[in-house]
């Protein structure tokens, strides 16, 4: 016998259930419906020719894509600030910062290379040279 008496009806687990992710079919259904809606909207925008400018259409599609990534992370990957003590959210933020720095830096470098590599040559001059040939 042990020094601590055990009651048969006294079952206490000493595990903290706050770290568990509780998933229901309702959560998956909501995520699926949102994902479908966020897929159909860009398709309708392009097929319907809603915006005259292709730049506006592309920006709206990119914004809806970003929203869809968040829906997937929340509803299917179950990422939130509480899961794994917040480390998944911290890793996601670090990843996003690195991706933004890489993209902005690459665009900046390409812009300046395009501007400075052949001074005096612009796109109109190139087109006029091609038309002369």
């Amino acid at each position: 016998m042990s020094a601590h008496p055990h009651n048969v009806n006294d079952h206490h687990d000493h595990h903290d259930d706050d770290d568990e992710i509780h998933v229901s079919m309702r959560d998956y259904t909501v995520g699926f419906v949102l994902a479908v809606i966020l897929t159909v909207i860009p398709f309708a925008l392009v097929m319907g020719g809603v915006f005259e400018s292709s730049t506006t259409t592309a920006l709206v599609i990119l914004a809806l894509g970003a929203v869809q990534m968040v829906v997937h992370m929340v509803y299917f990957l179950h990422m939130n600030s509480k899961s794994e003590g917040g480390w998944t959210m911290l890793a996601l933020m670090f990843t996003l910062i690195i991706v933004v720095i890489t993209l902005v830096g690459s665009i900046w470098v390409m812009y300046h290379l395009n501007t400075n590599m052949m001074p005096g040559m612009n796109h109109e001059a190139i087109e006029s040279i091609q038309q002369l040939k």
Side-chain angles (χ1 to χ4, degrees), residues 25-105:
M25 185 59 103
R26 181 182 176 276
D27 292 336
Y28 282 121
T29 305
V30 168
F32 177 73
V33 168
L34 287 173
V36 168
I37 290 170
L38 290 168
T39 301
V40 169
I41 290 173
F43 182 77
L45 289 175
V46 172
M47 294 304 292
V50 175
F51 300 112
E52 289 184 27
S53 171
S54 61
T55 304
T56 305
T57 304
L59 290 175
V60 170
I61 290 173
L62 284 173
L64 289 170
V67 171
Q68 190 168 30
M69 286 191 309
V70 171
V71 166
H72 282 263
M73 286 189 295
V74 170
Y75 287 100
F76 301 119
L77 298 177
H78 313 294
M79 289 182 71
N80 58 29
S81 60
K82 296 176 186 171
S83 62
E84 295 184 22
W87 284 106
T88 55
M89 191 61 68
L90 186 65
L92 175 67
M93 289 189 306
F94 178 74
T95 303
L96 288 175
I97 289 169
I98 297 298
V99 167
V100 167
I101 289 171
T102 304
L103 287 175
V104 170

